[in-house]
Amino acid sequence: MNTTPLLEIEHLTITFPTGSGPVDVVRDLSAVLDANRTLGVVGESGSGKSMTSLAIMGLLPSTARVSGSIRLNGQELVGKTDREFRTIRGEKVAMVFQDPLSSLNPYYTVGLQIEEAYRSHRGGSRRAARAVVLDALERVRIKDAARRIDHYPHQFSGGMRQRIMIAMALCLEPELLIADEPTTALDVTVQAQILDLLAELQQETGSGMIFITHDLAVVSQVAEDILVMKDGDVVERGTAEQIFSNPQAAYTRSLLDALPRIDDPFEELRGTAR
Ligand SMILES: Nc1ncnc2c1ncn2[C@@H]1O[C@H](COP(=O)(O)OP(=O)(O)OP(=O)(O)O)[C@@H](O)[C@H]1O
Ligand SMILES: [Mg+2]
């Protein structure tokens, strides 16, 4: 039996030099993620969520020092060169960022951009890549994809652009998808659609997912396991169920208290008055 987890992080510490000495932005983080599972990482701004995902992608600023271990299918990522990371990024691990506009080039059609991203790993003809891209756009439910593939980023809504980024991430069939606040910039209805889409795609592909958010309500919809981070430390970990029914850390309780309560009789009234 293969018991190697998809992702195994042990004692990950990320340190930056600053004017007043070295600062740990992530301290002694350990986590395990299996295929087909979603790990939610939740915490306030600056808690180290993005630095953790950038470490997995090999995209930390060059001044960062990393210690500990990040193993993907048993393969150690800490200490890999940029060149080695280039074959891992996209192929094995892909990331969807908060703001799709900053990840898309406004001067090229979305089809061309995804084709180029695909061909930089897999090669092949443009025609073959276009077929893969078209399929990916259909999988993320872009309507009329055969026509939309030749449109520019600004011709899509925010939610559609996020679907396009997800399509780009999916093209190479990564084993691990990192979604870093993928719905923060979207309104609630579109946010729910993207969450549903990610869950469906994960069912289809069997990939593992790390879902990063500052919103405990969002993470509870997608993740089986949750890490709660504060100031670079993991302050709580457990299943979504445990964290909701029996939070241990005061910080987690404060996050839970901040959520709208479904048993609040005035919630609905306030909602209509907003
Ligand atoms: N180049 C750098 N040098 C020093 N510190 C940095 C550098 N880049 C980021 N940091 C610090 O690292 C800490 C963690 O940042 P990170 O981006 O991981 O937070 P986050 O949890 O993703 O927050 P957010 O919810 O705002 O995205 C922050 O305190 C930030 O100021
Ligand atoms: Mg972040």
Side-chain angles (χ1 to χ4, degrees), residues 100-111:
L101 258 195
S102 63
S103 317
L104 287 165
N105 186 322
Y107 299 109
Y108 294 101
T109 63
V110 298

Side-chain angles (χ1 to χ4, degrees), residues 166-235:
I166 295 168
M168 191 185 286
L170 285 176
C171 264
L172 293 159
E173 296 171 346
E175 295 159 81
L176 173 62
L177 182 67
I178 304 176
D180 190 350
E181 308 243 14
T183 60
T184 311
L186 305 172
D187 69 55
V188 180
T189 317
V190 182
Q191 187 171 324
Q193 291 165 1
I194 296 287
L195 294 179
D196 286 345
L197 175 68
L198 284 169
E200 279 172 47
L201 292 169
Q202 191 184 21
Q203 287 243 305
E204 282 172 37
T205 61
S207 64
M209 181 156 81
I210 296 180
F211 192 98
I212 296 175
T213 176
H214 59 267
D215 187 337
L216 203 47
V218 167
V219 87
S220 68
Q221 291 176 49
V222 289
E224 291 101 14
D225 301 299
I226 295 178
L227 290 185
V228 182
M229 292 185 72
K230 186 175 193 300
D231 298 331
D233 292 311
V234 173
V235 293

Side-chain angles (χ1 to χ4, degrees), residues 16-18 25 43-52 61 63 181 214:
F16 281 103
T18 72
V25 296
E44 65 198 7
S45 186
S47 56
K49 307 181 298 292
S50 293
M51 288 299 145
T52 303
T63 50
E181 308 243 14
H214 59 267

Side-chain angles (χ1 to χ4, degrees), residues 5 10 22 29 40 64 79 130 200 234 242 254 274:
E10 283 180 325
L29 182 148
R130 192 173 163 93
E200 279 172 47
V234 173
Q242 281 165 355
S254 73
R274 239 181 255 141

Side-chain angles (χ1 to χ4, degrees), residues 124-162:
S125 67
R126 279 200 59 192
R127 179 193 281 262
R130 192 173 163 93
V132 173
V133 173
L134 193 56
D135 178 58
L137 291 177
E138 280 166 355
R139 279 166 74 195
V140 300
R141 328 260 190 272
I142 299 280
K143 286 200 190 67
D144 201 6
R147 192 171 61 88
R148 297 292 260 162
I149 191 171
D150 294 317
H151 285 179
Y152 292 85
H154 74 265
Q155 293 173 286
F156 295 87
S157 66
M160 286 292 154
R161 283 195 286 262
Q162 198 54 291

